[in-house]
Amino acid sequence: MTNSKILLCDCLKSQRIDAERLEDATGLPCSRVHTELCRSELAAAEEAIRSGSAIIACQQERQVFEDIAADLGAEPPHFVDIRDRAGWTGDTSSATPKMAALIAEAVLPVPPTKVVDVPSEGTCLILGEGEVALAAAEKLCGILSVTVLLAPEEELPMADDRRFDIVRGRMKTATGALGGFQLTFDALQERVPGGRGAFNWTEPRNGGKTDCDILLDLRRSPPLFPAADKREGYLRADPGNAEARLNAILEASQLVGTFEKPIYVKLDNELCAHSRAQKTGCTRCLDLCPTGAIAPDGDHVTVDTMVCAGCGSCSAVCPSGAISYDAPPVGNTFTRIGTLAATWRKLSQEAPRLLVHGPGHGVELIRLSARYGQGLPADTIPLEVTALAGFGHAEALSALACGFASVTLLLSPETEKEGLPFQVELANTIAGETRVRLIEPADPDQLEAALYVEAEAALAGQPISPVGSRRQITRLAAKTLNDADAVIALPQGAPYGSVELNLEACTLCLSCVSLCPSGALKENPDQPQLRFQEDACLQCGICTTICPEKALGLAPRLNLGDTALTPVVLKEEEPFNCIECGKPFGVRSTVERLTEKLAGKHSMFKDGKAARLIQMCEDCRVNAVYHSENNPFAAGERPKVRTTDDYISKRRDH
């Protein structure tokens, strides 16, 4: 959008707009400030839309301008809202810095969302009691291919509608989502089509299987899936609520065709620290996923794209970045934060505040507050994100280090809230003070009460440029907000930290090294040595689980010093020199301990020659065994295995 032009309108003089300062801060040409761009000055909008470079600073009349573009055969213009989010405010301070920040952020390129096609042919299974379920089937059978599942004891009314099927049974399992539900049943009975009088049924059988595209659940029983409202294709309504039933039926009727399902997250199995050698480590994403879309898959996890609802919780808690939000990518959020802060600083030396909200509820509260209340404070910049639960400690810390005085997350009824309190606690612990918070206003008045408070923090001394992985940005932000060599104690469950080693218990077996998924624990190939690089530690816990001596423990903390970036020696010992060739091998204390425990005491090491094998390197040990008296290799060639043919031929010879 480098050649774009911002079309400005003060909406019947209801807001103050400084076009010259906006142009200086954003580097984008601005039109004169119109007063009624959507009506009496519509010609100016038409000309800009025809040129294909228009960015219209109005969201309320978006439909009007998009209709004009359609009539002209032009590309629809881009939009940015500087009225509800900035200009309409009871705050007497200048809103120009915020307007400039919002415009600069709005023109950033947005990576396209990856999607997968989901076909639905309209096969629908309706669950519920007879009268309610059959009434729904009558409404849908002309549009969808409908089957009704009734309980085995259900008595059918005197009706014989052959436009849909009826079966009886009990749902045993249900998996999948729109276009791909897989179902199993017990006590399944199908209706016998012929005969007079009441329906006849086939004999009940267990283990019946089928699939369908749509599930309409009108039962009073608990839902079939966790976070049922987020399972696409699964429609649930209270059978006693006629309006809810009608809405569910209407929605089901629209689920025929091919739909685009966003791929919300991306997964890098190589980085995943879930498990090694069947020892479970990190389970953060598994513990938080509301829909059950994430499941263990060997050493890593797997994500069911069809079930994932895109809440973003997994991205916020993943310690390694193995799983990250991708609609848009996490890096896009960091870029937006940096752009908002940098543009603000061009016009103001005061510290702004960041208000992070999701679509829907947050947008509506801001709009209502702007039109009927005080609106947002002039220093509060709103940032709309697709997945609020994915805005974790790394994003919050990056905002503080970019120059925001505080970060407020505006929760909505749809927000997945389980993981956010810990992310806020972690961010505040690293920041050193309470500068990140959650609010959950139910109306504009509560929103204003939460926001119209005095800000105490100032601009960061040297704002960062938030580039890199979430771990890298967290570390960079923490160094900006704290002393450069600080060591910050973190709450249990934090994804940063050190390990504590019991030196007396550790035998340098190096089991922990072989299974450490991030390479934080290392060995030295030249001598018995256990080394540790703190910056790489994910606090997954695999090392503590695998250690046979239970010598390792986790110590959550964030070490900002340079020592965290280089391996340090946790324990080292002298190697044992082979008694035959003198080559160093193993650990002296371990070899001596084994010799003490086994020599002359174990059946395999009764005599002195056998006991010496413990003190030999692998090459000398093989050589000694080969030349020993009981060497199995000295027994000569093994006799040939006799077969049936050998016996038959021997009989023939006789």
Side-chain angles (χ1 to χ4, degrees):
M1 300 186 194
T2 54
N3 298 321
S4 299
K5 181 177 182 179
I6 309 295
L7 293 188
L8 301 172
C9 179
D10 62 16
C11 198
L12 300 178
K13 300 187 181 300
S14 60
Q15 59 177 331
R16 297 188 301 273
I17 299 178
D18 189 331
E20 184 177 348
R21 294 188 73 200
L22 291 179
E23 190 167 302
D24 290 341
T26 63
L28 296 169
C30 295
S31 71
R32 68 178 180 85
V33 180
H34 298 276
T35 294
E36 197 179 21
L37 187 64
C38 60
R39 295 294 183 270
S40 61
E41 297 174 286
L42 201 56
E46 291 180 357
E47 182 180 350
I49 292 172
R50 187 181 287 108
S51 70
S53 60
I55 300 176
I56 300 176
C58 175
Q59 281 280 16
Q60 176 177 283
E61 301 299 328
R62 181 178 188 135
Q63 189 63 53
V64 171
F65 299 117
E66 289 181 340
D67 289 345
I68 291 173
D71 292 341
L72 295 174
E75 289 292 322
H78 295 278
F79 298 89
V80 55
D81 176 15
I82 63 170
R83 188 194 67 179
D84 293 351
R85 300 196 292 165
W88 278 3
T89 177
D91 194 336
T92 57
S93 302
S94 173
T96 303
K98 178 160 66 167
M99 290 181 178
L102 293 173
I103 290 173
E105 184 262 337
V107 300
L108 292 173
V110 180
T113 299
K114 302 179 183 69
V115 298
V116 59
D117 287 342
V118 178
S120 170
E121 297 179 355
T123 56
C124 175
L125 179 66
I126 300 177
L127 313 176
E129 298 175 0
E131 185 176 343
V132 171
L134 294 174
E138 290 173 0
K139 290 181 173 63
L140 286 172
C141 63
I143 304 170
L144 306 177
S145 175
V146 176
T147 299
V148 177
L149 175 66
L150 302 176
E153 64 277 5
E154 186 80 42
E155 291 294 332
L156 284 177
M158 288 189 295
D160 190 13
D161 195 332
R162 299 293 174 150
R163 295 176 299 167
F164 54 87
D165 294 328
I166 302 175
V167 296
R168 295 197 304 194
R170 295 187 182 89
M171 179 80 71
K172 183 179 179 182
T173 64
T175 59
L178 175 65
F181 287 105
Q182 294 89 42
L183 316 168
T184 62
F185 310 91
D186 280 343
L188 182 65
Q189 294 177 279
E190 297 179 76
R191 187 171 53 170
V192 177
R196 183 185 181 191
F199 291 118
N200 293 315
W201 300 89
T202 61
E203 288 298 316
R205 61 187 180 90
N206 295 332
K209 297 181 180 180
T210 190
D211 52 52
C212 66
D213 299 315
I214 307 159
L215 269 177
L216 178 57
D217 190 349
L218 302 177
R219 304 170 304 147
R220 301 181 189 275
S221 307
L224 295 174
F225 306 101
D229 57 321
K230 300 181 184 296
R231 183 71 59 119
E232 294 182 358
Y234 178 64
L235 309 174
R236 180 173 168 80
D238 180 355
N241 187 328
E243 183 179 357
R245 293 202 316 268
L246 185 59
N247 289 337
I249 290 170
L250 179 61
E251 187 175 351
S253 69
Q254 306 301 309
L255 296 180
V256 181
T258 299
F259 303 88
E260 289 186 342
K261 174 73 167 66
I263 301 176
Y264 291 110
V265 300
K266 66 178 180 180
L267 179 64
D268 186 343
N269 291 333
E270 296 298 319
L271 299 178
C272 183
H274 168 61
S275 172
R276 293 293 185 275
Q278 299 182 344
K279 299 294 183 181
T280 301
C282 177
T283 62
R284 292 174 174 91
C285 62
L286 293 165
D287 296 338
L288 281 180
C289 181
T291 62
I294 306 176
D297 186 17
D299 284 349
H300 49 80
V301 298
T302 184
V303 179
D304 188 335
T305 300
M306 297 298 105
V307 175
C308 174
C311 72
S313 297
C314 55
S315 178
V317 300
C318 182
S320 65
I323 188 169
S324 61
Y325 202 75
D326 200 37
V330 172
N332 179 256
T333 301
F334 288 122
T335 300
R336 295 172 66 196
I337 292 171
T339 299
L340 289 171
T343 308
W344 170 279
R345 288 197 301 271
K346 293 179 181 179
L347 298 179
S348 176
Q349 292 304 307
E350 300 297 323
R353 294 179 288 169
L354 187 65
L355 175 66
V356 188
H357 64 89
H361 179 77
V363 173
E364 184 65 7
L365 282 186
I366 292 172
R367 186 189 70 81
L368 291 174
S369 173
R371 179 168 287 278
Y372 300 107
Q374 296 186 76
L376 299 181
D379 67 344
T380 299
I381 302 178
L383 173 67
E384 181 181 339
V385 295
T386 306
L388 189 59
F391 195 94
H393 68 277
E395 289 78 6
L397 289 168
S398 74
L400 298 178
C402 282
F404 284 97
S406 64
V407 177
T408 300
L409 276 67
L410 195 169
L411 306 182
S412 74
E414 295 78 30
T415 304
E416 290 297 333
K417 306 177 182 67
E418 186 177 351
L420 283 174
F422 182 78
Q423 293 299 307
V424 170
E425 179 189 4
L426 187 56
N428 285 328
T429 302
I430 294 175
E433 53 185 320
T434 304
R435 296 173 62 182
V436 184
R437 61 174 179 155
L438 303 172
I439 61 172
E440 195 169 358
D443 56 50
D445 291 338
Q446 293 181 11
L447 174 63
E448 293 166 12
L451 296 180
Y452 276 86
V453 293
E454 185 177 351
E456 299 179 357
L459 281 166
Q462 184 60 46
I464 69 168
S465 177
V467 177
S469 68
R470 298 180 79 250
R471 290 182 70 88
Q472 291 169 336
I473 291 174
T474 296
R475 182 176 180 82
L476 180 60
K479 289 178 75 71
T480 301
L481 300 169
N482 297 274
D483 293 336
D485 295 322
V487 178
I488 306 168
L490 299 179
Q492 289 294 324
Y496 315 97
S498 181
V499 294
E500 296 174 338
L501 180 67
N502 184 332
L503 294 174
E504 296 300 321
C506 177
T507 61
L508 284 179
C509 68
L510 302 181
S511 299
C512 54
V513 172
S514 63
L515 295 183
C516 180
S518 64
L521 289 164
K522 307 172 184 291
E523 65 175 329
N524 185 340
D526 297 324
Q527 64 182 102
Q529 196 176 76
L530 175 62
R531 300 188 295 172
F532 175 69
Q533 183 174 330
E534 185 168 343
D535 180 59
C537 181
L538 306 176
Q539 297 284 286
C540 66
I542 291 178
C543 60
T544 64
T545 304
I546 197 64
C547 180
E549 288 82 23
K550 305 301 178 186
L552 282 165
L554 301 180
R557 69 180 194 176
L558 185 59
N559 182 357
L560 303 181
D562 292 341
T563 55
L565 304 177
T566 55
V568 296
V569 176
L570 296 182
K571 182 175 181 178
E572 62 180 336
E573 288 193 27
E574 293 182 16
F576 187 88
N577 295 321
C578 175
I579 59 174
E580 287 291 327
C581 67
K583 183 178 76 172
F585 79 99
V587 181
R588 175 174 293 277
S589 63
T590 301
V591 173
E592 291 175 349
R593 189 180 302 115
L594 288 173
T595 302
E596 179 184 352
K597 289 186 176 182
L598 298 178
K601 302 174 183 178
H602 191 278
S603 58
M604 292 181 62
F605 302 98
K606 284 291 186 181
D607 62 79
K609 290 184 179 180
R612 286 171 55 85
L613 295 175
I614 302 173
Q615 300 174 329
M616 295 181 189
C617 68
E618 57 271 25
D619 294 333
C620 293
R621 191 178 305 124
V622 171
N623 187 53
V625 170
Y626 186 82
H627 292 93
S628 65
E629 294 179 3
N630 297 321
N631 172 23
F633 299 107
E637 186 177 351
R638 295 180 62 184
K640 182 181 177 181
V641 177
R642 301 193 66 179
T643 66
T644 301
D645 291 339
D646 293 329
Y647 285 103
I648 294 174
S649 62
K650 186 176 181 180
R651 288 179 180 177
R652 288 174 179 169
D653 293 342
H654 287 79

